[in-house]
């Protein structure tokens, strides 16, 4: 009797298990499919509406935040099973069973709705790129992964996975080209409805002469691209100019138009600092395609120096596209992944780039070492989340606690930041107090280059602030004098200051 009972109960458990799995699958597919379909309406991505059942599957498989939803659906499925097979519902009328099923579906939809609201990144998970790759190289972008005096890194993409790319370069005014093969990394983006496969090409040019202007072209099956140029950093300190921008993130075509103007007006800018949030959806390649398209006439000839923002990082989900697409120096803090922090010296200026998405405490020892060991006249930092926010409740306490005292101690001149979607310059700050002159403290900046704007409130430390204004900034360094100007798209100066070192 005992054995029979045991077999019967094992069979019932198996049935319960299978029934729970079926309930769970139905809840997940129905819940996510319907919510994604409703959320997809009104977006630019018609594919979301056409493919919403397929979307439900990707939605479940691809983004690990969905584990929360899966767990909730599993618990719900188990409860439904218990209710229908074990409890009072066993003898309940068919009407009551149908009502119980409907209730379960409504609850699962509410859970799915809540998850999508909390994590907008889950919406329109299947996307399409407006800028698909072709056999002609595009998105040509300059970065540094080594010393700016003697190296230059060039990246681009093509649709040809099998073919090695080639780049040729020469110092301007000379005849003979030197050819270099690219290293190719195939990249498959299954969530894209079009152009899923691309090849990313990288060339690091080494052994270049300092303070030299070079020409280069990228080759492909039918010829060579237009000639682009870059100039290596000077070996000895000389006056130079560089640019700084805040979040491009949203309104990338408007950002591109702003940067085209900046390039036209300041062709001598040596490189551009970008304070992070280059794109809105760092996990989605189509956003990067748009960024590189919008930047195509700028960063093909001027080095991009980025810091990683929270959107590039997909809210700490996965920054792999940022690191895949941007080859950066591997000389940063042990406390964060390679290329998330780095430093370089250009002329008489030190630039230290940090990842404010991750632990400020973990990066503090490296920040201190780097500042302490530098003999540069000028010291600058670049990170995303502002130490002094332009809006209430947006201060970043960890940054203030671990990094700001080091900027005080080692007399950093300017902290370039982003994230607040407004323009703000603080008074010179030291020990969290306002100082009279820049020589006595650090100026903290926030700017925005895209068209996503936040309100601003007047803060004690705010010297200059604007809302709803996209700007680019130009900094000139000459000996012990720094002059800074912020420009709008029409070239109007909206903020300026100078720093004179004693
Ligand atoms: Fe941000």
């Amino acid at each position: 009797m005992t054995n029979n009972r045991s077999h019967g109960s094992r069979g019932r458990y198996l049935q319960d298990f299978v029934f729970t799995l079926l309930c769970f699958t139905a809840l997940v597919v129905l819940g996510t499919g319907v919510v994604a379909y409703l959320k997809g309406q009104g977006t630019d991505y018609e594919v979301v509406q056409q493919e919403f059942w397929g979307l439900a599957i990707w939605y479940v498989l691809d983004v690990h935040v969905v584990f929360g939803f899966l767990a909730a659906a599993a618990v719900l499925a188990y409860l439904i099973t218990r209710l229908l097979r074990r409890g009072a519902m066993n003898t309940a009328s068919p009407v009551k069973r149908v009502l119980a099923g409907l209730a379960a579906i409504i609850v699962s939809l509410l859970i799915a709705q809540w998850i999508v609201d909390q994590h907008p990144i889950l919406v329109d998970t299947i996307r399409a790129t407006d800028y698909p790759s072709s056999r002609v190289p595009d998105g040509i972008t300059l970065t540094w992964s080594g010393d700016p005096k003697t190296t230059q890194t060039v990246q681009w993409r093509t649709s040809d996975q099998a073919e090695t790319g080639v780049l040729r370069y020469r110092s301007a005014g000379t005849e003979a080209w030197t050819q270099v093969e690219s290293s190719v990394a195939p990249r498959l983006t299954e969530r894209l409805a079009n152009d899923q496969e691309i090849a990313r090409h990288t060339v690091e040019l080494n052994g270049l002469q300092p303070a030299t202007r070079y020409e280069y072209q990228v080759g492909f099956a039918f010829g060579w691209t237009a000639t682009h140029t870059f100039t290596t950093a000077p070996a000895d300190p000389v006056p130079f100019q560089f640019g700084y921008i805040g979040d491009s993130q949203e309104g990338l075509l408007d950002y591109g138009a702003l940067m085209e103007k900046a390039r036209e007006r300041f062709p001598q800018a040596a490189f551009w600092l970008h304070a992070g949030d280059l794109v809105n959806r760092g996990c989605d390649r189509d956003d990067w395609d748009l960024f590189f398209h919008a930047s195509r006439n700028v960063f093909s000839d001027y080095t991009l120096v980025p810091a990683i923002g929270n959107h590039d990082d997909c809210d700490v989900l996965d920054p792999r596209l940022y690191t895949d697409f941007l080859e950066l120096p591997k000389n940063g803090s042990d406390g964060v992944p390679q290329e998330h922090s780095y430093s370089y010296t250009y002329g008489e200026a030190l630039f230290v780039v940090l990842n404010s998405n991750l632990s400020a405490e973990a990066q503090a020892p490296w920040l201190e070492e780097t500042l302490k060991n530098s003999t540069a006249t000028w010291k600058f930092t670049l990170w995303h989340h502002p130490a002094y926010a332009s809006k209430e409740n947006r201060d970043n306490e960890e940054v203030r606690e671990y990094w700001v005292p080091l900027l005080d101690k080692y007399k950093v001149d300017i902290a370039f930041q982003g994230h607040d979607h407004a323009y703000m310059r603080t008074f010179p700050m030291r020990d969290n107090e306002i100082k009279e002159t820049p020589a006595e403290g650090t100026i903290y900046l926030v700017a925005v280059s895209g068209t996503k704007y936040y309100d601003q409130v007047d803060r004690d430390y705010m010297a200059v602030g604007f809302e709803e204004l996209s700007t680019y900034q130009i900094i000139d360094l000459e000996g012990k004098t720094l002059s800074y100007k912020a420009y709008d798209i029409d070239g109007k100066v909206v903020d300026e200051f100078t720093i004179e070192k004693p």
Side-chain angles (χ1 to χ4, degrees), residues 308-385:
I308 189 166
N310 53 310
H311 285 265
D312 307 314
D313 203 6
C314 321
D315 289 325
V316 203
L317 275 179
D318 185 359
R320 77 197 144 166
L321 293 186
Y322 175 92
T323 47
D324 278 8
F325 291 173
L326 299 164
E327 205 62 38
L328 300 168
K330 295 183 176 72
N331 63 357
S333 163
D334 292 339
V336 291
Q338 294 271 30
E339 301 176 277
H340 288 218
S341 66
Y342 56 94
S343 70
Y344 66 98
T345 303
Y346 191 106
E348 266 297 85
L350 171 74
F351 294 84
V352 188
V353 183
L354 294 148
N355 180 352
S356 59
N357 297 311
L358 300 179
S359 166
E361 184 181 8
Q363 294 167 84
W366 173 78
L367 172 61
E368 172 146 33
E369 279 301 298
T370 309
L371 292 173
K372 194 200 305 179
N373 292 337
S374 174
T375 54
T377 308
W378 300 95
K379 295 191 177 92
F380 305 108
T381 56
L382 176 72
W383 66 67
H384 185 62
H385 298 80

Side-chain angles (χ1 to χ4, degrees), residues 453-497:
Y453 303 121
Y454 290 162
D455 295 344
Q456 193 172 62
V457 293
D458 202 9
R459 311 293 299 262
D460 294 345
Y461 47 71
M462 186 188 292
V464 178
F466 303 113
E467 291 173 349
E468 301 196 14
L469 188 68
S470 306
T471 57
Y472 61 87
Q473 288 66 226
I474 295 290
I475 297 96
D476 278 287
L477 287 180
E478 188 170 356
K480 304 241 168 173
T481 304
L482 177 151
S483 53
Y484 167 102
K485 286 191 170 80
Y487 296 88
D488 70 6
I489 192 165
D490 298 321
K492 189 176 136 208
V493 176
V494 295
D495 184 26
E496 61 185 308
F497 63 87

Side-chain angles (χ1 to χ4, degrees), residues 247 249 277 309-311 384-385 394 419 421:
D247 310 37
Q249 192 180 338
D277 282 357
N310 53 310
H311 285 265
H384 185 62
H385 298 80
R394 284 180 71 84
H419 192 56
H421 298 274

